[in-house]
Amino acid sequence: MSSELLAPLDLAFWHLESAGHPMHLGALAFFAPAPAPAAGARSDDGILDLLATRAAAIRRLRMRVRDVLLPVGGARWTVAKDFDVRRHVHHVRLPAGDFATEAAGIAGELMERPLERGRPPWEMYLLTGEPGGPFAVLVKLHHALADGMRAVAIGAGIFDEIADARTTGVRRARTVPPRPWFAGPSQVAGFARGRIEELGRAVGVGASVVRASRLDPRGTAALTAGSSGTRRLGTAVLDLEDVQRVRRAAGGTANDVLLAIVAGGLRRWLEQRGERLPAADPRALVPVSQRRPGSPPGSGNKFSAYLLELPVSDPDPRSRLDAVRTAMDRNKAAGPSRGAGALAVLADQLPPLAHRFGAPLAGGAARMLFDVLVTSVPLPRSALSLGGCPLREVYPMAPLARGQSLAIAMSTYGGRVHVGLVADGKALPDLDRLARSLGEELAELLDLIPVAPLDTPAR
């Protein structure tokens, strides 16, 4: 297929964007030099050429957005006939110094820049230091192009293991039965019934979102500061086995433990800043995929979200973990179509014209719904490499909603949880302190909770 309509949720992300609030996802991946005997074979130009070649082979990365007459307010993905991968893949040489620190600094600056809307909305940057040393790759994908799972599927195409599998794999052509150009009476009736049912669901979801909204947002000043348009990137690494030890002892899921770590980390950070704890606990929006396990990733965004009051005001780490687990169990029992987190479900049922004209209002209302985004992005479990250079760390990055200063994304790779914190650069100049607080919170949980047997199955 040479073109396809943007799904409603994709269209919402496309129109939510503004100069100060670019709506792209990102990931910063760090690679070690290739091991012997391949050592010495890697060159910066060679890696850049490899990135360009593999990105050009990913069909989704050759698509751009164009407006359409019908449906009114809609848009369509079309193949860019003038596509030139070299306009999307760039090389940045970093100054001397600590490579990881320099790479995170430039990545934050690059995340400030909106993607050019007249061409396929993505970019990749090769970040290098000393010749033959470690290097990093920054990937930026517009949220209209992909949600977290789809972004992983697209970005994974640059790795040796996935690229080689695509090259050697055999793809079977699907047989699609021809469709008549006209609709029969039964099809028309079915379409009408479907639209009525969708309208009823949209009204119910919309009422749930309104009930969960706050007319008087009372988040912390740091998390709701005015936007400066700047971006700062912070990173943290947590040992996955330590997270699982806490989970085995306390119950719940690994994600419950990570959310409790975020709550405790925020509390530590606020206390270290000398800030008064908020009168009301900050709300986190926790996205949850709507894709069925084992199903193909598809092209559009498919997710909802849960709303979680982060128990920042609770001084007891164990009590914070219990509160998070109880709240998340309640969210899962209610389902992803209830509460403010169901905004994504509602957006997926609105017509294109509503997104085109309602996006500015929706963007401004984000602060009434939540204070901070906390998301988990799944990665392949197998070891990955680029040009024979092993992937060591990968930090996901989420976009900032209007009126908010912090977004937290987490991915598990190589037995560790990599946390990417994206913040407004002026509102949170001490983001590194917050990143350290996450590790401190995990260490305290380990001290407070007895170690459980190692044979308990992980979740």
Side-chain angles (χ1 to χ4, degrees):
M1 183 182 295
S2 60
S3 67
E4 62 182 83
L5 286 172
L6 268 72
L9 191 51
D10 302 346
L11 198 63
F13 284 124
W14 189 249
H15 291 306
L16 274 171
E17 185 169 66
S18 65
H21 294 85
M23 292 302 298
H24 50 254
L25 309 169
L28 180 62
F30 287 91
F31 297 85
R42 187 221 108 188
S43 69
D44 294 347
D45 289 342
I47 293 294
L48 191 68
D49 290 340
L50 188 61
L51 273 177
T53 299
R54 289 181 176 171
I58 301 172
R59 182 180 177 278
R60 192 71 183 168
L61 297 184
R62 301 196 299 270
M63 308 288 280
R64 53 161 291 190
V65 176
R66 299 189 64 177
D67 291 339
V68 296
L69 294 176
L70 293 174
V72 178
R76 182 177 293 275
W77 290 109
T78 61
V79 175
K81 296 181 179 179
D82 59 347
F83 175 73
D84 180 359
V85 72
R86 290 293 182 174
R87 298 175 67 189
H88 299 263
V89 180
H90 313 283
H91 184 194
V92 177
R93 299 184 190 276
L94 302 179
D98 181 77
F99 179 74
T101 301
E102 295 292 341
I106 191 65
E109 295 177 13
L110 293 171
M111 287 295 288
E112 294 176 9
R113 307 177 186 176
L115 296 164
E116 187 172 327
R117 294 172 76 88
R119 59 192 190 192
W122 66 274
E123 291 176 341
M124 291 184 189
Y125 292 86
L126 172 64
L127 311 178
T128 61
E130 296 181 0
F135 64 93
V137 174
L138 172 66
V139 179
K140 293 169 56 178
L141 297 172
H142 200 285
H143 212 331
L145 187 68
D147 56 17
M149 291 185 67
R150 180 62 177 170
V152 170
I154 293 173
I158 70 171
F159 294 114
D160 298 337
E161 294 74 13
I162 284 81
D164 291 345
R166 285 180 174 174
T167 301
T168 59
V170 178
R171 300 181 67 180
R172 295 182 178 179
R174 291 191 304 169
T175 302
V176 180
R179 282 185 169 185
W181 64 270
F182 59 90
S186 62
Q187 291 173 298
V188 172
F191 176 78
R193 285 195 301 270
R195 293 304 297 170
I196 292 172
E197 291 173 359
E198 289 176 5
L199 180 60
R201 287 194 297 269
V203 170
V205 172
S208 178
V209 171
V210 170
R211 286 194 299 269
S213 302
R214 302 169 299 182
L215 297 180
D216 58 338
R218 294 175 292 168
T220 67
L223 299 182
T224 57
S227 174
S228 68
T230 61
R231 294 292 180 270
R232 184 182 296 271
L233 172 63
T235 61
V237 179
L238 307 174
D239 186 272
L240 179 59
E241 179 55 33
D242 287 345
V243 172
Q244 294 290 6
R245 285 176 181 170
V246 174
R247 179 201 63 79
R248 286 190 289 264
T253 68
N255 198 52
D256 293 341
V257 177
L258 292 172
L259 289 168
I261 289 172
V262 168
L266 285 171
R267 179 186 173 90
R268 290 172 179 273
W269 171 68
L270 290 170
E271 289 177 334
Q272 291 169 7
R273 278 182 143 216
E275 285 197 26
R276 179 180 300 176
L277 294 176
D281 285 329
R283 281 180 165 186
L285 194 70
V286 184
V288 54
S289 176
Q290 293 285 79
R291 301 183 189 279
R292 295 181 179 178
S295 64
S299 58
N301 281 274
K302 294 183 183 296
F303 71 92
S304 182
Y306 294 131
L307 191 67
L308 174 68
E309 304 280 346
L310 293 171
V312 170
S313 59
D314 192 330
D316 180 13
R318 177 60 188 261
S319 177
R320 287 196 292 267
L321 178 54
D322 290 342
V324 166
R325 186 181 66 237
T326 300
M328 289 302 291
D329 286 346
R330 185 167 55 247
N331 277 332
K332 293 169 188 174
S337 296
R338 294 289 181 268
L343 188 64
V345 176
L346 177 62
D348 205 33
Q349 298 181 22
L350 295 177
L353 199 60
H355 292 304
R356 184 174 292 270
F357 293 105
L361 180 62
R367 184 177 173 182
M368 297 174 60
L369 298 174
F370 63 98
D371 302 300
V372 59
L373 174 72
V374 184
T375 183
S376 294
V377 182
L379 291 180
R381 295 185 178 181
S382 59
L384 300 171
S385 61
L386 176 61
C389 301
L391 174 66
R392 294 303 187 206
E393 301 172 9
V394 56
Y395 298 96
M397 289 173 278
L400 285 183
R402 190 173 302 154
Q404 286 149 5
S405 303
L406 177 67
I408 302 174
M410 298 174 281
S411 286
T412 300
Y413 176 77
R416 298 190 295 177
V417 180
H418 297 97
V419 186
L421 302 98
V422 175
D424 184 280
K426 291 187 177 180
L428 277 72
D430 56 345
L431 191 61
D432 290 343
R433 184 188 298 174
L434 174 57
R436 290 193 299 271
S437 296
L438 300 178
E440 294 166 359
E441 179 69 10
L442 176 56
E444 183 168 358
L445 279 170
L446 285 168
D447 289 340
L448 292 175
I449 296 177
V451 176
L454 296 178
D455 57 355
T456 304
R459 284 193 285 174

